[in-house]
Amino acid sequence: MTAPTGVEHRAGVGRTLAVGAAAGALAATGMAAFAMVDSATGKDAGFWTPLYHIAAPWIGPDEMQTSMERAMNDDQFFTLGPAAAGLATHLAVGASFGALFGLLARLLRLHGPAAVPVGIAYGLAVMVLMGFVGLPIVAEVIGGGEPVSDMATMVGWGTFAVEHAIYGLVLGLWPLAR
């Protein structure tokens, strides 16, 4: 067997990035679904509130606060533009971290059942990075204030950890399924 050429290697890396990004977007979808169900049932804060929370750097915290207030009265609040902005932001961030996981999996030649705990650990590492570094920087540079910088605390660190473990689990299943 011959070693891959530079072109073949670059094509393989590009494919890895693309598949990792797709896996990351899928994983972010699972994470968001959990967050939305938990917000509506476990916290009575409104089904759509997590999407408004994610969109807060772009649109401010008003929709998030309105959603939470109306949920207290068993009234669901939905506004398409802010919800779409939150979903698009979440999927883009999830895809970016998924592409990085794809590179990591490629470098480590990660496959088989070992990929699942590595994926979960990666998801929890993303949680720590975002909770202590990423979200405070986003709040300072783009906007959103405390609802963004303190997102993990507002959601609850336990819930935030479960969300990110779900994200990592889905990412870890990708190399397992290959």
Side-chain angles (χ1 to χ4, degrees):
M1 183 167 166
T2 61
T5 67
V7 172
E8 291 168 337
H9 176 73
R10 283 190 298 279
V13 170
R15 196 169 33 259
T16 297
L17 288 170
V19 173
L26 180 64
T29 301
M31 178 183 178
F34 174 84
M36 293 167 74
V37 169
D38 180 67
S39 179
T41 60
K43 294 183 175 53
D44 292 324
F47 183 76
W48 303 104
T49 301
L51 295 182
Y52 303 139
H53 201 168
I54 294 165
W58 313 114
I59 65 169
D62 291 349
E63 277 78 11
M64 178 189 71
Q65 291 169 340
T66 300
S67 183
M68 290 177 2
E69 289 167 4
R70 294 206 18 206
M72 286 187 248
N73 297 318
D74 292 325
D75 182 21
Q76 290 299 316
F77 172 75
F78 178 76
T79 304
L80 179 60
L87 181 61
T89 300
H90 192 62
L91 293 178
V93 171
S96 297
F97 279 113
L100 288 174
F101 181 78
L103 285 178
L104 177 68
R106 181 182 175 97
L107 289 172
L108 297 176
R109 300 183 194 280
L110 189 61
H111 62 281
V116 174
V118 171
I120 293 170
Y122 179 82
L124 294 173
V126 168
M127 174 196 73
V128 170
L129 177 67
M130 291 303 291
F132 290 109
V133 180
L135 291 169
I137 289 172
V138 167
E140 182 68 28
V141 173
I142 299 173
E146 284 185 27
V148 174
S149 65
D150 297 341
M151 188 178 294
T153 302
M154 285 183 72
V155 170
W157 277 99
T159 300
F160 210 54
V162 171
E163 292 170 5
H164 285 81
I166 290 168
Y167 175 78
L169 171 67
V170 174
L171 282 179
L173 290 173
W174 161 61
L176 180 63
R178 280 190 311 170

